[in-house]
Structures are given as structure tokens and as C-alpha cells.
Amino acid sequence: MSIPVLALEKVRKAFGSEVVLEDISITVPEHTATVFIGASGSGKSTLLRCINLLEQIDDGVIRLDGADITDPSVDPDEIRRKLGMVFQSFNLFPHMSVVENIILAPMRVHSKSREEAISEALELLDRFGLCEKAEQYPDRLSGGQQQRVAIIRSLAVKPRLLLLDEITSALDPVLVNEVLSTVRDLKEHGMTMLLATHEMGFAKQVADEVCFLERGRILEWGKPEEILENPKKPQTQEFLKRVHEAGRL
Amino acid sequence: MSQEVGRGSENHSDSTPYSFGGSWTPSAVELERRIARKARGRKNSLVAAASSILVLGTLATIVVTSPGWKNLSDTFFKWAYGFEVLPKIILGFGANVFLTVIAATSVAIFGLILALVRTSRSPAITPFRILATIYVDVFRGIPMLLIILLVGFGIPALRLKGVTNNVFILGICAVIITYSAYVAEVIRSGILTVHPSQRAAARSLGLSNFQTLRYVVLPQALRRVTPPLLNDLVSLIKDTGLVSILGVTDAIRAAQIASSRSFNYTPYVMAAGIFLLVTIPLTRYTDRTLRKSIDRQNAQGLA
């Protein structure tokens, strides 16, 4: 069996005395999408931030392509170069145009020439139908367009793994769809992904595996049809019932 | 107009639905509202004009009819003498301009370094961070006049070898020392207003701490603090006049020399006029930048 892109072994994270992640062990094989579901505060975002080394874990091991990235001698910048991350609040740089946002990392981190970085950025923008927005500033774009630019920005460094942190939570239902179809497109192109989301319908479509998190623990982990349609744990059933009532399934 | 008219429904009845801007003519309700607004506007400007004339007129009358007015206008507004000494004051003002240019440049560099040191979290910087904090606290807390006196008279008294006794240079140093502390705090506050999520986004793209600062945090921070920095520049121009107490012949000192020779204060008024000639346009410009940056932030919405 080949080495998974990402493997977590008994990861634990606490903020002070509050334990937010406990005994998290998962593996993410190449070209698969793993979706985390769970109530707000269940630890989904923290988990993604830990993988990206934006937060330091308190115990356990995180492996990227088999190599331990939680080893203190590892340079976090080196690891983050291989990972793409998209945030709930887009976090585009407001003082830069769309294309400048995208070429920043390729130029400064991967030492590409400006011309090369721009031509690659325009190619990506074209692929996702945002070519005419290249010179615009983020505040002129709709939320959905901003989030798609953020996705493109994280793709521009050709990441090994994409971390998507509730990327549709700040969008209205119409805009959600354009962002989700972008993610679906990535999935079809074989991108390895880790997502935290509240969109159960989307989780069902795109996920190879679904993880239900509650209070920082993985309660259930399996195929989407198992978890989302026939959950075994009462907590998962309760959560899905509440989501269903809120009209999100 | 009653409510049955509805919200402009009559305008849309004959045109295609959802075609905005095409053949729109204001409805009767709207026309009536415009007439009412115009009438109110006329009334407002009439009231403003009447009250201005009343207040300013009263003030002017009180000043001009006061018993000492003749005396005062002779000592402060003797224009013939004022224009006679004007070239000397303008020459002195050249020193203020020169001081401002040198000081502003140095303050920008030194203030930025202080701000960066104070906001850095790197352990190697710790001793410098403590020093920078003490520096800012101390020099923001002492009146600038005192610092000018201490530097201008204290340093020559030490009789150190290789250290200048030139009051002009010592004056500039005193101004730089004080203003760097102010400017450092302004820049630091700008850095702190950049949301942590911007930093997180930059770091997750693989940018180093320094690159994040250079390309993401500082450009946003400096843009936000441009209006307060311009305010500080206006103050700096005025405060360069304080070095006159060391004997530097700036506009104020030149005016002082001229007025002590004739016991007439018109040169001071002339000096004030010259300062205003520079500071008022700059203040207006600052106002405009501030308004623009507020507009921009309001337009930004979520991000």
C-alpha cells in the first residue's frame, strides 16, 4: 500500500485547560477528499490549522507523505509551501489586485519570474472563468468570486494537499454553488483535499470519506453514505437531524 | 400625495420589466419631493448666512471699536514694516523647511524600525523590544522643548571628542529623537489593526515572517495610518520653530530679531502667515486623504 499524503496519529491540542482535539487519527490517501462535519466548536477548524502548522499540537504526530512535520527541526515555512489553505473569510489581500494576490507566493516563495507567475495565474483564472477579474481589487468582487480567487491563490503554488476551512460559510446560498462547483472541479482533477463544511449535500457528493467530530474527538469515520445516511452513533444521528431541520441536507 | 400612487409603479407599467435606467422620468411624487427639498435647502443657506454675518460682524465690531485697537494694530499689523523684514523671515523659514525635510526622512526610518522592533515576537529581539518600549515611553512623556534644551546644551557640555557643537545639528537630533517616538506608536497601531487572518493567509501560502510583514502587513498598515502621519508632519513643521531657542536662525528667530530691533510685533504675524501658507494646504490634503481612506474602508464590506 502506498504512503498516504497525510496521516494523523493520536493528535491532541489544548488551549490552556480546554482540550479542543483529542486522539485524532486519520489517513488521507492521494486523490481523495476527506470531509469533516460537526457542530461549530467541534474542532474542525483547529484541526486544519494544526495540519498547516498555524497551531502547535500538544501530542501525537502529523505525517505529510510519510515525513513527520511536527518534528521541531522541521521548518514550518517549508511545509506550508506544500499545503494550500482556504479560509472561511477569504482573507484575500485587499491592497493587491486579483492577479497580484495570486502571483505573490509563486514569485516570493517559489522564485518564479513575474512573467511566468502571471501567465500561470491567468491560465488558472481562465480555467475558473474569472479571467476578466484579473486586474480588479478584491472589494469589487462578490463573495463567491473572492472565495474562488482565494482557492486559485492556494492552487498557484501547486499544493500537495488542499485544506478548505468552511469556505462557504460566509456566502449566501446562490454564491455557495459557484464555489462548490469549483471544488468539485478540483476533485475531478485529482486534488487531495481536506474539508471542514456545514454543507451536507455537498459532503455527500465530493467526499470519499466523512469524519464526524464532536468535542474534539472523531466519533464516526467512513464512507459518506454510511455516515450521512445510516449513522450508528446517537450523537451523529442527533447532529444530522438538527442539520436536516435547519434545511441544510 | 396619497400612498395609492405606489412606489413609482406608474413608470414601469409601460416599459419592459427589469430594464433599469432606460426611459425613466421622475414621478409626480418625486418631483414634489424635489421641490420641497430645494425649498428647505434655500431656507437653510439663508439661515446660515444670516447667523454668520451676525456672529462674525459682532466679533469684528467688538475688536475694532475696543479702546486699545489703534495701539494693537500699530504694534501687530504695521504692514509696511512687515514687508520690509519679510525677506529675512522667508530666509529663516528656509531653515525650518530644511529641518523638516531632514527630520521627516530620519523620523520615517527610525520610527519604522522602532515600530517593527516593538511588534516583533522573535526571541532574539527581546532586549531590543524592551529598550524600544522604554525609549518610546520616555520620549513621548517629556516636553519637546526640554529635550531640545537637554540635547542642545547638555551634549556640548559633555565635551566629548568628535561630537558636534553645532546647534543646528543638535536641534535636528532633538526633533528626530522626539518625533520618532510619536511616529513609532502611530505605525505600531497601524500594524496592530491588520487582522491576524491576513497574517495566517500569508503564512499558509509559505511566506516567511519577514515576507509577510513586507508584502502583506506593512503596506496595509501604512496606508491606514497615512492621515495621522500627515498630521504629525504638520506638527513637525511647526515644532521645528522650537530649535530657535538654541540660536538657530529660523523664521521665528528671524522675526524675533526684527521685532526686538523696532519694538514692533508685526514680524511675528508675518512668520505666522508663512507657517500657515504651508500648513493649511497640508492640513486640507490630510483631511481629504482621511475621508478617502474612510470611504475605502466602508466600501470594503466583509474583507
Side-chain angles (χ1 to χ4, degrees):
Chain A
M1 195 184 142
S2 65
I3 299 167
V5 174
L6 184 78
L8 273 65
E9 296 161 19
K10 291 184 172 302
V11 167
R12 177 194 155 91
K13 169 74 189 170
F15 291 114
S17 60
E18 192 195 344
V19 180
V20 279
L21 294 172
E22 176 94 81
D23 197 22
I24 303 282
S25 299
I26 54 159
T27 53
V28 181
E30 194 156 17
H31 309 309
T32 65
T34 301
V35 173
F36 291 99
I37 58 169
S40 298
S42 58
K44 307 186 295 288
S45 294
T46 309
L47 183 57
L48 295 187
R49 292 173 67 89
C50 285
I51 293 168
N52 206 2
L53 305 181
L54 288 172
E55 302 286 352
Q56 199 177 22
I57 58 170
D58 296 320
D59 205 350
V61 177
I62 301 174
R63 291 182 197 283
L64 186 65
D65 288 319
D68 180 2
I69 60 169
T70 43
D71 188 307
S73 67
V74 168
D75 176 7
D77 290 341
E78 204 65 49
I79 300 306
R80 293 193 197 107
R81 274 169 213 190
K82 300 181 192 160
L83 303 171
M85 179 138 181
V86 184
F87 301 82
Q88 178 178 340
S89 51
F90 326 144
N91 299 357
L92 291 177
F93 307 130
H95 61 297
M96 295 180 181
S97 71
V98 164
V99 75
E100 284 168 336
N101 261 281
I102 299 171
I103 64 174
L104 178 67
M107 277 176 66
R108 303 298 167 191
V109 181
H110 300 266
S111 327
K112 283 194 178 149
S113 73
R114 196 180 164 82
E115 292 71 35
E116 194 188 352
I118 287 180
S119 88
E120 284 181 12
L122 292 178
E123 224 165 86
L124 278 170
L125 284 168
D126 196 36
R127 177 175 151 201
F128 294 105
L130 285 166
C131 217
E132 73 278 18
K133 304 286 177 196
E135 299 302 323
Q136 297 271 13
Y137 280 80
D139 59 341
R140 295 265 161 223
L141 268 52
S142 75
Q145 289 167 342
Q146 288 192 44
Q147 192 58 294
R148 280 152 66 205
V149 170
I151 294 173
I152 292 172
R153 182 175 70 178
S154 69
L155 288 177
V157 294
K158 304 193 172 65
R160 198 66 189 103
L161 172 71
L162 203 55
L163 308 169
L164 306 173
D165 186 8
E166 294 187 23
I167 57 169
T168 57
S169 297
L171 300 173
D172 72 50
V174 179
L175 299 179
V176 165
N177 276 327
E178 64 178 62
V179 171
L180 293 187
S181 77
T182 303
V183 178
R184 234 173 272 131
D185 182 300
L186 295 180
K187 163 78 180 146
E188 278 158 24
H189 281 78
M191 177 61 74
T192 312
M193 291 188 282
L194 216 58
L195 303 89
T197 186
H198 290 301
E199 303 283 339
M200 298 305 148
F202 173 65
K204 209 181 284 181
Q205 287 173 24
V206 81
D208 294 291
E209 295 195 311
V210 172
C211 247
F212 175 65
L213 275 180
E214 196 187 66
R215 289 185 203 166
R217 287 170 175 276
I218 294 178
L219 282 194
E220 258 182 280
W221 178 27
K223 297 276 164 231
E225 47 277 16
E226 293 167 21
I227 307 288
L228 296 172
E229 277 155 31
N230 297 305
K232 295 193 177 54
K233 298 272 167 84
Q235 292 96 324
T236 320
Q237 291 165 0
E238 176 62 25
F239 172 73
L240 288 171
K241 200 179 123 218
R242 289 212 315 267
V243 171
H244 194 79
E245 281 161 6
R248 286 282 190 141
L249 195 65
Chain B
M1 264 303 148
S2 62
Q3 284 188 329
E4 291 106 62
V5 176
R7 308 220 156 185
S9 55
E10 51 188 344
N11 305 315
H12 289 292
S13 54
D14 52 351
S15 61
T16 34
Y18 304 116
S19 89
F20 297 106
S23 59
W24 176 76
T25 48
S27 69
V29 203
E30 172 61 18
L31 287 173
E32 210 164 287
R33 278 197 296 246
R34 285 182 192 179
I35 292 168
R37 276 190 211 119
K38 225 180 226 168
R40 199 172 48 199
R42 262 200 304 273
K43 195 180 144 210
N44 283 349
S45 36
L46 218 68
V47 171
S51 87
S52 305
I53 291 171
L54 188 73
V55 173
L56 298 178
T58 313
L59 276 175
T61 319
I62 290 172
V63 170
V64 174
T65 58
S66 64
W69 170 248
K70 174 81 188 47
N71 226 332
L72 180 110
S73 67
D74 277 351
T75 9
F76 282 91
F77 305 119
K78 210 169 166 191
W79 299 121
Y81 182 60
F83 282 106
E84 190 189 313
V85 297
L86 187 60
K88 280 201 178 127
I89 298 174
I90 289 177
L91 208 67
F93 191 69
N96 293 94
V97 172
F98 185 66
L99 269 163
T100 304
V101 172
I102 305 258
T105 321
S106 321
V107 165
I109 297 165
F110 193 39
L112 180 64
I113 293 172
L114 278 172
L116 290 180
V117 168
R118 282 206 71 189
T119 49
S120 153
R121 270 168 279 173
S122 149
I125 305 277
T126 303
F128 299 103
R129 191 166 54 237
I130 295 170
L131 285 175
T133 309
I134 294 172
Y135 177 93
V136 169
D137 283 356
V138 167
F139 287 104
R140 273 202 317 165
I142 304 177
M144 193 163 110
L145 191 56
L146 270 179
I147 297 179
I148 291 175
L149 290 172
L150 288 172
V151 172
F153 296 132
I155 288 182
L158 291 175
R159 296 192 191 164
L160 291 169
K161 266 204 192 109
V163 175
T164 179
N165 285 344
N166 183 324
V167 282
F168 194 84
I169 295 172
L170 290 172
I172 290 186
C173 286
V175 172
I176 293 170
I177 287 171
T178 314
Y179 267 81
S180 296
Y182 295 146
V183 166
E185 280 306 276
V186 173
I187 296 178
R188 188 173 79 106
S189 75
I191 292 174
L192 295 180
T193 61
V194 176
H195 198 270
S197 64
Q198 287 283 312
R199 222 179 262 265
R203 294 310 296 272
S204 67
L205 283 170
L207 268 71
S208 69
N209 201 5
F210 176 77
Q211 287 173 322
T212 301
L213 200 61
R214 160 85 179 71
Y215 298 111
V216 176
V217 176
L218 269 186
Q220 294 184 60
L222 291 179
R223 212 162 294 191
R224 272 178 219 180
V225 296
T226 304
L229 285 180
L230 283 171
N231 263 331
D232 278 351
L233 180 63
V234 173
S235 309
L236 175 66
I237 295 173
K238 293 181 296 167
D239 284 350
T240 54
L242 287 175
V243 301
S244 61
I245 53 161
L246 296 180
V248 174
T249 317
D250 74 327
I252 296 176
R253 183 90 181 117
Q256 196 179 19
I257 293 167
S259 72
S260 60
R261 210 180 291 143
S262 62
F263 301 106
N264 186 290
Y265 293 133
T266 312
Y268 286 131
V269 177
M270 299 307 274
I274 293 172
F275 273 102
L276 283 177
L277 231 49
V278 175
T279 51
I280 286 183
L282 201 56
T283 314
R284 292 293 100 220
Y285 176 72
T286 309
D287 253 22
R288 224 181 52 200
T289 346
L290 180 65
R291 219 174 313 123
K292 260 196 216 151
S293 86
I294 287 173
D295 286 351
R296 204 169 39 225
Q297 264 165 29
N298 289 347
Q300 233 160 54
L302 254 176

